[in-house]
Amino acid sequence: MIKKLLFLLLFTFLSFHSYSQIVFEKAYYIDNNNTKVNCLIRNQDWIKTPKEFQYKLTETDQPQTLTIQQVKEFGFENDAKYQRFSVNMDRSSENMSAMSYVKNPEFTEETLFLKVLVEGKATLYQYDENDLKRFFFKTDEAALNQLVYKSYKINEFEVGHNNHYKQQLSNALQDNAITYRDIKSLSYSKDKLAALFSKYNQSVDPKTAVEKIKQKKDLFNLNIRAGISNSKASVKRIDMPLYDADFDNKTQVRLGVEAEFILGFNRNKWAFIAEPTYQYYTAETIVRKVNTSIDYKSIELPIGVRYYSFLNNDSKLFFNLQYIVEFQLSSEVKYPPFGNFDVAVNRPFAMGVGYKFKDKYGLEIRYSTKSILNEGSHYSSKYTSASIIFGYTIF
C-alpha cells in the first residue's frame, strides 16, 4: 500500500513540476521608450544573468518573452533588479589551461543585463555566466566600469593576479568610513564587495543607502520527523533456491531529527539534508522445516539532496534522493544450515516525495532499498522499507 502511495505521489510531483516552475511574481520592466510597465514576471532567481525573461500583464494572459534588446530594466517587488548597459568586459579565463599570459584586461564591448547588488551613491552590479563572474560599479561622479580582477600566467607553472579593482575602489570610495586597510584586504567576492559598498553608502547618505542583495534567511532548518515504516527482508542462497528465506512485512514506529541546509541559489529550491534515525527489524520464517531469523538494528544516517517545487507562497512539493550511512547495533541473520551472518549493508539508497505547508508541517512518503549480506557470490539479500513520515520544523 505504501509503495502505491509513493508512486502516486511521485506521479503527482512530476505532474505539478512543470506547472510549479512557472511562478510569475509582481514586477515591472522599462522599455526603450522609458515607459514603465507593471506586470508579472517569471522569477527564476537566475544563477546565470539572463538575456531575456517571460512576463504576463495579468494572471490569465499567456506568457510572452522580452529580450535584452527590448528592455532597459526589469525587477521584482523588494527583490532582484536588472539593468541594461553597454559595457567593456574582460572575459579572461580563470582556468589554467585557457589562461592568458597578458596581465591587463582584454576588453570587448557587450550589451548585458547587470544585477543590482547594492544601490546608492555608489552602486554595485554583478554579471554571472557559467564560470565567469564579473562585478561592475558606478558612482555619482564615475561612469559604469568593470572592477578589474584577472588571473594570468607568468609561466607554465606560475599564476599572477591583477588586483586593479582595489585601486579603482580606493580612488572612488576611500573616505573617513572606508579606509585603505578595508580595501587592501578586500576579496573579489559578492559578499565582501557588497558589504563595502553598503558601508560606504551608509556613511555618505544613510537615507538613500539601499542594499539590493536578497537576504537569505532560514538557511538552516531543524525538523522533528516521526512516522511508520513497513519493511521486508529476504535472504537467498543463489545455487539452492529451495532455501530462499522470505521474511514477513513488519510495521515499526520511526523517530528521527532532520538537519536541512538550504543552498542559497535558484530561489532556495535545493537543500542538503541529513537525518539520523534509529531503525529495527526482527522476523522469523521456516525454511525446509528449520527456523530462520533476522535481527537487524542500526542507526541510519540518510544524507542527500532535496529539491523543492513551489506551488504557492504557503505550499511546496519536495523530492529527496539520499545515500544511507549505517552504524550497526549487533545485527545478524541466522540462516541454517549455512550458518549465522553479521548484517553488512550495501547499496543503501532512499528516495522520497512529500509536501510542506507554511514551512512548518511536512508529509513525506519514502522508499529505501539495500542488501544486508556481504558473503560473496553465493548469497543475495534484499531489505526494503516504505515509510510515511510526518515532519515539524522547530526552526
Side-chain angles (χ1 to χ4, degrees), residues 12-172:
T12 303
F13 172 83
L14 295 174
S15 299
F16 273 106
H17 179 73
S18 59
Y19 165 78
S20 63
Q21 300 312 298
I22 306 177
V23 177
F24 287 79
E25 299 181 2
K26 289 183 179 180
Y28 72 93
Y29 69 86
I30 299 175
D31 64 20
N32 291 330
N33 296 319
N34 291 319
T35 301
K36 183 176 181 179
V37 179
N38 293 316
C39 61
L40 301 168
I41 293 178
R42 181 183 177 185
N43 189 349
Q44 297 177 259
D45 198 21
W46 292 270
I47 298 176
K48 294 168 54 177
T49 303
K51 292 180 171 59
E52 61 183 29
F53 60 88
Q54 289 185 319
Y55 81 101
K56 299 191 294 186
L57 294 179
T58 68
E59 287 282 3
T60 57
D61 287 347
Q62 288 297 312
Q64 300 182 60
T65 299
L66 287 171
T67 68
I68 193 170
Q69 289 77 26
Q70 300 168 287
V71 174
K72 300 174 68 173
E73 176 179 318
F74 72 97
F76 302 88
E77 286 188 351
N78 304 313
D79 202 345
K81 179 167 76 174
Y82 294 85
Q83 295 177 338
R84 185 184 70 190
F85 292 96
S86 292
V87 299
N88 289 318
M89 187 166 76
D90 171 50
R91 287 184 170 268
S92 300
S93 176
E94 294 291 308
N95 189 320
M96 185 69 172
S97 62
M99 195 174 291
S100 169
Y101 283 94
V102 179
K103 177 179 180 179
N104 293 325
E106 300 168 85
F107 289 120
T108 57
E109 186 174 350
E110 302 183 40
T111 299
L112 305 170
F113 279 132
L114 301 180
K115 184 178 183 179
V116 179
L117 297 182
V118 179
E119 190 170 26
K121 292 292 185 180
T123 301
L124 177 67
Y125 301 88
Q126 178 178 337
Y127 180 81
D128 268 321
E129 182 183 318
N130 299 325
D131 293 331
L132 180 71
K133 187 183 294 291
R134 296 290 186 264
F135 297 99
F136 296 79
F137 83 106
K138 69 180 180 69
T139 69
D140 288 351
E141 292 76 31
L144 183 81
N145 279 289
Q146 180 185 321
L147 287 169
V148 175
Y149 171 81
K150 180 181 178 182
S151 299
Y152 61 95
K153 285 184 181 179
I154 297 174
N155 53 52
E156 284 299 317
F157 307 101
E158 191 175 359
V159 174
H161 301 283
N162 181 342
N163 293 311
H164 182 58
Y165 72 94
K166 295 183 180 181
Q167 185 62 54
Q168 292 172 282
L169 295 175
S170 181
N171 294 340

Side-chain angles (χ1 to χ4, degrees), residues 234-238 243-246 335 373 378-381:
S234 64
V235 178
K236 299 180 181 181
R237 171 90 182 199
I238 294 175
Y243 287 89
D244 289 356
D246 292 306
Y335 191 25
L373 292 185
H378 294 297
Y379 298 91
S380 69
S381 61

Side-chain angles (χ1 to χ4, degrees), residues 6 123 222:
L6 173 66
T123 301
L222 187 65

